[in-house]
Amino acid sequence: MWPRVAESAYIFHGAQVVGDVEIGEGASIWHNCVLRGDVNYIRIGRRTNVQDGTVIHVSTHTYPTLVGDDVLIAHMAMLHGCTLEDNAFVGMGAIVMDNTVIEPDGMLAAGAMLTPGKRIKSGELWAGSPAKFMRMVTPTELEKNRSMAEHYRLLAEQHRFDSLGQVAEKPYP
């Protein structure tokens, strides 16, 4: 299987994408990420960003890794055989293990470890290692998280123009 990448998605230098991987429209896979769909499949939704150094893998023949639309995956995260629904957020250095789910607008804090079989419900913030429920996401956090998918889409688009030696119609501020 070869990766299937939407024309408007952007994969940065140094990223490795192999196997049964689909990357949606406007998604961005940043520097030095590894997406390895060799023994199961990976699906990355529209406008999702996978930030620098993140590793995404799967469980052999049991759990694929499914990532919805407008998902934020911060630097150095590790995802393995899990599901991140639309607008989910995974903080820097967090680990998301097999058979876990982060529902829409659910947040896993930086450095947290979501152990197998756990589910972060919509609007919940979990933290710690192992991660546990801390509190509900505030309206301000929710608004910021939702705006960041577009922020990263625009930033990746600016990088695409830069890499081609072109000037964007509306340069990123």
Side-chain angles (χ1 to χ4, degrees):
M1 294 289 296
W2 290 96
R4 292 164 308 285
V5 180
E7 190 173 323
S8 64
Y10 190 70
I11 299 176
F12 283 78
H13 303 293
Q16 303 293 314
V17 180
V18 297
D20 189 357
V21 179
E22 288 184 13
I23 299 174
E25 295 289 335
S28 54
I29 311 300
W30 290 72
H31 304 281
N32 300 317
C33 290
V34 175
L35 281 68
R36 204 175 115 206
D38 55 346
V39 293
N40 211 326
Y41 58 93
I42 297 171
R43 301 294 181 260
I44 305 293
R46 297 171 297 172
R47 299 171 305 279
T48 285
N49 73 87
V50 180
Q51 296 173 22
D52 312 63
T54 291
V55 174
I56 301 178
H57 197 224
V58 294
S59 292
T60 304
H61 307 299
T62 53
Y63 303 111
T65 296
L66 307 173
V67 180
D69 297 337
D70 301 305
V71 173
L72 303 174
I73 302 169
H75 312 287
M76 303 292 290
M78 182 180 296
L79 280 58
H80 198 275
C82 58
T83 299
L84 308 181
E85 296 179 354
D86 297 347
N87 298 302
F89 176 92
V90 174
M92 290 185 284
I95 299 171
V96 186
M97 298 178 74
D98 293 355
N99 192 29
T100 57
V101 176
I102 301 178
E103 293 182 3
D105 298 313
M107 287 182 69
L108 182 63
M113 183 189 329
L114 191 62
T115 53
K118 296 288 194 282
R119 175 180 287 266
I120 296 176
K121 293 184 179 167
S122 185
E124 292 182 346
L125 169 65
W126 286 41
S129 185
K132 63 182 180 179
F133 173 76
M134 302 302 282
R135 61 176 172 80
M136 296 304 290
V137 175
T138 68
T140 301
E141 291 166 332
L142 184 60
E143 182 180 329
K144 181 177 181 185
N145 288 352
R146 288 197 169 186
S147 72
M148 292 307 288
E150 179 64 6
H151 161 81
Y152 277 99
R153 188 195 67 75
L154 291 171
L155 188 57
E157 188 66 22
Q158 182 65 52
H159 280 276
R160 178 195 313 276
F161 280 108
D162 292 346
S163 73
L164 298 171
Q166 300 174 351
V167 176
E169 186 176 306
K170 183 178 177 188
Y172 187 74

